[in-house]
Amino acid sequence: MALSFVRNNITLDTANLLATAAIEHAREIGAKMVVAVVDTGGHLVALKRDDNAFAASVSIATDKAITGATFGLSTDDLCNALKSSPTALDGISRRPNTIMFGGGYPIILNGEVIGGIGVSGGSEDQDRECAQKALEKLN
């Protein structure tokens, strides 16, 4: 029986690369965003807040990233997976640091979750788009 295991986590350099890519795309589409990147335990690794981005978006982006990392699903996919069980949806959505709307994703490298990214400040579609553009940097 193994007494421990190794889990890969996102590096600071990769977290900064993703956060910067998301902010750059947000600027291209004219949105003011906050981008958070966390490790597999939901601990903040990188945070970027564009000038004049909503202050509330700091915690929202962080919670989206935590949700993606700890559940291994996008915030949209988690919400959709729970729709058929209102009790589970209600219970999980009440957990601290859990967000059930678009803009949070797991960061997956070689089939393994290494962290999460969350983007907040625009519409849900803009948040999703900026996170997805950032994740393209891993390919």
Side-chain angles (χ1 to χ4, degrees):
M1 168 178 73
L3 297 178
S4 67
F5 64 91
V6 175
R7 179 174 229 169
N8 290 314
N9 273 298
I10 193 164
T11 64
L12 176 60
D13 289 343
T14 302
N16 280 326
L17 172 79
L18 296 178
T20 299
I23 290 288
E24 287 174 354
H25 187 71
R27 288 177 173 176
E28 288 174 14
I29 64 172
K32 300 291 185 182
M33 299 288 194
V34 175
V35 181
V37 179
V38 300
D39 64 16
T40 58
H43 305 287
L44 192 61
V45 178
L47 179 81
K48 291 192 183 284
R49 179 181 176 208
D50 204 354
D51 300 336
N52 293 316
F54 297 119
S57 290
V58 171
S59 61
I60 295 168
T62 302
D63 288 349
K64 287 179 179 185
I66 291 168
T67 302
T70 58
F71 284 94
L73 295 170
S74 72
T75 50
D76 288 312
D77 288 346
L78 178 61
C79 185
N80 289 332
L82 297 171
K83 279 186 178 176
S84 64
S85 177
T87 303
L89 179 61
D90 180 60
I92 290 177
S93 67
R94 291 176 187 261
R95 288 180 44 84
N97 306 112
T98 303
I99 296 279
M100 304 297 271
F101 50 88
Y105 294 85
I107 300 169
I108 300 171
L109 186 63
N110 299 322
E112 181 181 4
V113 175
I114 62 167
I117 185 170
V119 179
S120 179
S123 68
E124 277 186 271
D125 286 340
Q126 289 173 320
D127 294 354
R128 287 180 192 104
E129 181 180 330
C130 290
Q132 290 167 350
K133 284 290 185 183
L135 291 170
E136 288 174 7
K137 295 290 185 183
L138 294 178
N139 299 327

